[in-house]
Amino acid sequence: MMAVTSSLSDEQRAVLALWTEVNASLSAYHKLITSFGTAELAWYAKVDAWRQLGIHHSHLARHEQPEHTQASIDKIQQALIEERYGLLFADQPDYPAQLSQIYDPPPLLFYRGNKARLRQAQIAIVGSRKPTAHAQKITFDIAQYLAQAGYIITSGLAMGVDKRAHLGALAQADAEYQGRTIGVMGTGIEVNYPNHHDKLFAQIIEQGGCIISELLPHTMPHKHTFPRRNRLVAGLSLATIVTEATIQSGSLITARLTSEQGKQVFAIPSHIDNSNAEGCHHLIREGATLIYHPQQVLEDVNAQLGYESYSHKSEDTVDIGIDITESNGSQTNHSKATKHTNKDKNIAVMSNHPIPSNIKSAPSPIVVPEHLMLVYEQLDWHGQDLDALIIATKLATPQLIGQLMELELLGIISVQGGRYLRV
């Protein structure tokens, strides 16, 4: 259920006003906030002050008609009261912390459904809008498996792979695991697109999932809105899986953004003559992690978060029925995977949250020598390359390499693929 927002603060109304007048332009919005300090000061500023900042003429025209802006805010206020959707602002505790870490975070999010999903650990699954039947099955099975392991499946609500990812996450026999999916819209929160996905939207919300959009409620689909959506899919998630994609697929944008955010990209291989999977093969060639079973995703992501691996928690196994072989008459490979017990079910928490008592306790605090702290503080569990560390620390290359070697010898960091990361 969405919490009723009976009133908006003056600053929240100002944020909405700016977002409306710049028509959800991230660059214009952040330019105004940077220049004036607060949304209220920016909104009450004269048009000439906006013009001096180089704000687009269409935004200036809307800023000259504050009565229209007020009417739009009133409509949003009424929709909040009627619980047609909810609204999260970037300074609120329920706003997903992981989004605030991306290059261009949205100042607000419209949502429908269970907003608590936004602060749980997510894995994105993306791919072609016209996947093969085999890719559809793999996508569904992987999503179902990861959701049962406790992760939230995030995708873009498009046809094809996105839809199968959402449905796989929703296909849980145990009610405890239902609704573990988030759909990121490339339209406004009140525009269902594609039109025939109304049933999917309703199922996500009814089962306890969540649908979000940063765009104004009645924003229609446009070629520019979907790359924006992709950056949120990548930003919300700990990693991205591409199950099948052509070389021109928008999924490769999501993969690139995931990589730029320092997160891991996984890709499913296929026959070399499958043009529908050429994008996956390109990603693998460029350094994405090849996988053929979702357990491999769990092992890598859990390792990043410092969780105990599932691999040895139980000797019991369950047939998950994921067929990773191509449907060309070759033998079906029903993989065996570790059976998840109740003590594993709380795995899906963000890494900046306390680890529940049923997860392996965190190791003892690492003691880092004082003279190495500058370098160590620049490292994370995703990895930084040498060039980035030189820029961040401003150390001479020989000095930086020496300190990195000291940290490695102390067992505090490791090197993987030319990237330095905390152990």
Side-chain angles (χ1 to χ4, degrees), residues 66-87:
E67 66 280 3
H68 292 172
T69 303
Q70 291 282 9
S72 296
I73 295 174
D74 290 342
K75 287 181 180 179
I76 291 172
Q77 175 79 66
Q78 186 59 34
L80 294 174
I81 293 172
E82 295 172 1
E83 296 188 70
R84 298 208 304 271
Y85 51 76
L87 184 55

Side-chain angles (χ1 to χ4, degrees), residues 66-347:
E67 66 280 3
H68 292 172
T69 303
Q70 291 282 9
S72 296
I73 295 174
D74 290 342
K75 287 181 180 179
I76 291 172
Q77 175 79 66
Q78 186 59 34
L80 294 174
I81 293 172
E82 295 172 1
E83 296 188 70
R84 298 208 304 271
Y85 51 76
L87 184 55
L88 289 174
F89 292 89
D91 61 350
Q92 292 181 314
D94 288 339
Y95 184 92
Q98 62 273 32
L99 274 191
S100 63
Q101 299 171 12
I102 68 174
Y103 172 71
D104 48 359
L108 52 82
L109 289 172
F110 297 92
Y111 72 92
R112 294 166 62 194
N114 182 7
K115 66 181 178 180
R117 296 296 185 204
L118 295 169
R119 292 186 61 81
Q120 293 178 297
Q122 301 163 48
I123 297 175
I125 301 180
V126 297
S128 172
R129 283 181 168 81
K130 297 180 180 180
T132 61
H134 183 66
Q136 291 185 50
K137 182 182 186 304
I138 287 177
T139 301
F140 184 96
D141 290 347
I142 287 178
Q144 185 178 35
Y145 187 96
L146 295 177
Q148 190 169 2
Y151 284 96
I152 308 302
I153 304 303
T154 300
S155 198
L157 293 167
M159 296 182 291
V161 164
D162 287 14
K163 181 178 181 179
R164 298 301 294 173
H166 292 303
L167 289 174
L170 294 170
Q172 305 294 329
D174 189 337
E176 181 180 0
Y177 294 100
Q178 290 183 354
R180 292 181 179 272
T181 192
I182 292 171
V184 184
M185 303 178 71
T187 64
I189 196 71
E190 294 200 311
V191 178
N192 287 348
Y193 178 84
N195 296 333
H196 53 276
H197 274 190
D198 291 6
K199 186 176 180 181
L200 174 62
F201 290 8
Q203 185 179 356
I204 290 173
I205 294 168
E206 288 168 4
Q207 289 192 15
C210 187
I211 293 172
I212 65 168
S213 175
E214 67 176 329
L215 303 170
L216 294 165
H218 295 289
T219 303
M220 300 303 292
H222 189 274
K223 64 180 181 180
H224 299 302
T225 61
F226 295 104
R228 291 183 61 158
R229 172 203 63 188
N230 294 348
R231 98 185 189 289
L232 296 186
V233 171
L236 285 166
S237 305
L238 292 165
T240 294
I241 304 170
V242 185
T243 56
E244 187 177 71
T246 65
I247 199 68
Q248 299 296 330
S249 173
S251 303
L252 269 64
I253 297 176
T254 309
R256 175 177 58 79
L257 293 169
T258 300
S259 180
E260 289 176 355
Q261 293 169 13
K263 303 170 185 175
Q264 195 164 0
V265 177
F266 300 95
I268 303 288
S270 182
H271 291 311
I272 61 173
D273 58 354
N274 179 6
S275 59
N276 222 38
E278 191 175 353
C280 289
H281 296 155
H282 171 76
L283 290 173
I284 293 169
R285 180 176 172 82
E286 293 297 309
T289 303
L290 184 154
I291 58 165
Y292 51 87
H293 195 286
Q295 183 65 27
Q296 295 160 339
V297 177
L298 290 179
E299 288 170 356
D300 282 9
V301 173
N302 290 353
Q304 291 175 25
L305 297 179
Y307 294 144
E308 183 179 11
S309 173
Y310 287 124
S311 301
H312 306 292
K313 284 193 176 182
S314 172
E315 295 180 357
D316 297 329
T317 59
V318 58
D319 188 346
I320 61 170
I322 296 182
D323 179 10
I324 302 300
T325 60
E326 291 288 353
S327 53
N328 59 358
S330 57
Q331 184 178 1
T332 300
N333 175 22
H334 289 287
S335 303
K336 296 289 181 179
T338 304
K339 182 177 181 180
H340 305 308
T341 62
N342 286 336
K343 67 179 180 177
D344 302 324
K345 65 188 177 184
N346 290 327
I347 193 72

Side-chain angles (χ1 to χ4, degrees), residues 259 262-263 380 382-386 414-421:
S259 180
K263 303 170 185 175
D380 54 27
H382 303 300
Q384 302 288 337
D385 61 31
L386 190 62
S414 65
V415 186
Q416 296 180 12
R419 297 173 72 89
Y420 297 86
L421 60 157

